[in-house]
Amino acid sequence: MTSSSTSTPVREIESAGNPTRFARGWHCLGLVEQYRDGKPHQVKAFGTSIVVFDTSEGLKVLDGYCRHMGANLAKGTIKGDSLACPFHDWRWGGNGRCTGIPYAKRVPVAAKTRSWPTMERNGQLFVWHDPQRSQPTEEVTIPEIEGWEDGQWSDWSWQTFLVEGAHCREMVDNVVDMAHFFYVHLVFPHYFRNVFEGHVATQYMHSRSRPDIDPENSYGGEDSELRSEASYFGPSYMINPQQLEVGGKTVEAVLINSHYPIDSSSFLINFGVATRREPGVDPEQARAVADGLTQTLTYGFGQDVEIWRDKARIDNPLLTEQDGPVYQLRRWYEQFYVDVEDIEEDMTQRVEVEIDTEHAVGTWKREVEENLAAMKGA
């Protein structure tokens, strides 16, 4: 008689490889202030090189290499509202038009380079990418964080991570991955729900810190309670309002979790934390809380990054019901990798899934109790 273990075929990992196309949407390049130093900045993204420079009308983004003889414009200088090439001093305006060639009698009619749509919001710089060269619409814009323009939040406590050898999809998968929050981010996710609709994918989570870990890597200790609502607006930018209950006090924070692709197998993570300023609270104290939360998040992201760097791309993950709507999320994510006219209804229709966490939390509590007992006996 053949046993069930031998009659069940071995499941093979399937992978079509990383897409060579880059997602359509707004991508955060970092904080506005980092580009306002009077110098051009080279950014490697979307399989190419772009250059960011400041003008009287705000930050502008152009293709990174001069259309004259190919010099790197990031090595040039800002002259007025134009970016001057270091090779022959051709001047390029933020709209992509050549504004002057000092040694030439006239500017050629064809003297134009690509200008990328940009937006400054929430203290951050965004660039729009679309292989079809479309212009962004209000329907897919990045929302403003309530109270940001009114100074109700601390400055951003900002961090970056370079992830090589992996595609951006690995990061987006975390939206539905309830279980990894216990093993990687060291919390009990005792409530977990996902909602996808249109260009927005949201994760609702309530969690508590684990008492068997280093307090420096904890959100606030064993008695803390974190309520989180994290939404991707498009393929790469997440706004995550959080309420942390610690010792009878509430700390209100907002996390930005964003990334942009460098090429098909590497991406850069930009994330930061700001805390809401409370009446009578010193701004430095608010920033200190944000720095503390960022330190905790940095630990978790560092754990994620190490896993992404070494894992295999898998298009047919073997799942349990507690693993969440992975396939539905990936179908939602596909809308950003096809032409607009090829977006299908099931990519944007509403999907809502709540995970039953009772069994998982019960198992994890027993594991934590065993860990604490072992620590006391050591």
Side-chain angles (χ1 to χ4, degrees):
M1 180 179 293
T2 304
S3 67
S4 59
S5 61
T6 57
S7 61
T8 302
V10 173
R11 187 181 181 90
E12 301 291 345
I13 288 179
E14 297 176 2
S15 173
N18 294 337
T20 56
R21 180 169 179 154
F22 300 104
R24 176 186 61 259
W26 285 110
H27 294 76
C28 177
L29 298 184
L31 297 179
V32 166
E33 63 187 29
Q34 74 188 72
Y35 297 106
R36 290 216 163 115
D37 59 358
K39 302 176 183 178
H41 292 259
Q42 183 176 21
V43 178
K44 294 183 178 180
F46 313 110
T48 187
S49 180
I50 56 180
V51 59
V52 182
F53 67 105
D54 199 12
T55 74
S56 62
E57 297 181 346
L59 295 170
K60 303 296 181 180
V61 176
L62 302 177
D63 275 0
Y65 298 105
C66 185
R67 292 302 194 262
H68 174 220
M69 293 292 286
N72 186 345
L73 291 175
K75 303 297 183 181
T77 55
I78 299 173
K79 297 182 178 180
D81 273 348
S82 297
L83 180 54
C85 176
F87 203 1
H88 299 92
D89 203 25
W90 282 43
R91 315 285 177 85
W92 300 97
N95 62 0
R97 297 252 178 215
C98 181
T99 60
I101 307 169
Y103 64 88
K105 289 183 177 180
R106 64 183 65 88
V107 174
V109 175
K112 186 178 181 181
T113 188
R114 183 183 177 193
S115 174
W116 296 61
T118 59
M119 176 173 60
E120 296 177 25
R121 182 151 293 174
N122 303 326
Q124 298 143 23
L125 172 65
F126 297 83
V127 65
W128 174 263
H129 174 268
D130 183 6
Q132 293 180 283
R133 302 290 194 263
S134 72
Q135 292 295 309
T137 64
E138 281 300 313
E139 286 76 17
V140 296
T141 198
I142 300 297
E144 294 182 358
I145 296 172
E146 182 182 358
W148 182 264
E149 294 298 328
D150 298 332
Q152 296 181 25
W153 297 88
S154 71
D155 293 336
W156 291 111
S157 180
W158 203 254
Q159 296 283 332
T160 62
F161 278 113
L162 173 63
V163 183
E164 296 179 298
H167 187 265
C168 307
R169 189 185 72 176
E170 304 293 350
M171 186 168 181
V172 177
D173 274 352
N174 275 12
V175 172
V176 297
D177 190 350
M178 180 274 295
H180 97 287
F181 281 94
F182 178 81
Y183 299 105
V184 177
H185 297 280
L186 308 179
V187 296
F188 286 106
H190 58 88
Y191 174 81
F192 199 93
R193 181 166 67 99
N194 289 119
V195 178
F196 319 137
E197 189 169 20
H199 75 292
V200 181
T202 301
Q203 170 202 97
Y204 300 89
M205 182 175 68
H206 301 169
S207 64
R208 297 186 182 93
S209 292
R210 289 174 52 176
D212 60 332
I213 61 171
D214 187 338
E216 290 189 1
N217 300 322
S218 168
Y219 275 96
E222 182 179 354
D223 297 327
S224 65
E225 169 83 9
L226 181 71
R227 293 176 178 264
S228 165
E229 179 180 329
S231 296
Y232 267 105
F233 295 92
S236 68
Y237 185 78
M238 173 189 284
I239 300 178
N240 180 194
Q242 301 181 348
Q243 288 185 326
L244 179 63
E245 302 285 344
V246 183
K249 296 182 179 180
T250 300
V251 176
E252 191 172 351
V254 61
L255 164 70
I256 297 301
N257 182 0
S258 67
H259 63 272
Y260 62 81
I262 298 171
D263 52 37
S264 62
S265 60
S266 63
F267 59 97
L268 187 80
I269 300 172
N270 275 308
F271 79 92
V273 177
T275 53
R276 187 179 289 276
R277 301 183 192 274
E278 298 295 339
V281 175
D282 184 274
E284 291 300 319
Q285 290 180 316
R287 177 58 185 265
V289 173
D291 288 343
L293 285 172
T294 303
Q295 178 181 332
T296 300
L297 291 164
T298 298
Y299 175 83
F301 273 117
Q303 298 274 79
D304 276 327
V305 167
E306 290 306 312
I307 292 170
W308 294 331
R309 284 172 177 162
D310 292 330
K311 74 180 293 295
R313 179 185 174 95
I314 180 168
D315 295 337
N316 63 330
L318 179 61
L319 305 176
T320 75
E321 60 184 290
Q322 268 66 49
D323 283 315
V326 175
Y327 287 102
Q328 293 95 322
L329 175 71
R330 289 184 176 182
R331 186 60 173 159
W332 170 85
Y333 190 54
E334 284 182 33
Q335 67 178 287
F336 307 111
Y337 287 86
V338 299
D339 290 347
V340 171
E341 58 269 22
D342 294 329
I343 296 175
E344 298 180 11
E345 183 179 356
D346 67 337
M347 296 176 180
T348 60
Q349 68 186 9
R350 184 177 177 88
V351 174
E352 185 169 351
V353 177
E354 182 175 333
I355 296 178
D356 182 354
T357 63
E358 183 177 359
H359 175 80
V361 171
T363 302
W364 291 333
K365 283 184 176 179
R366 289 191 293 273
E367 179 178 331
V368 167
E369 289 170 359
E370 292 172 358
N371 291 342
L372 290 172
M375 292 165 61
K376 290 180 180 178

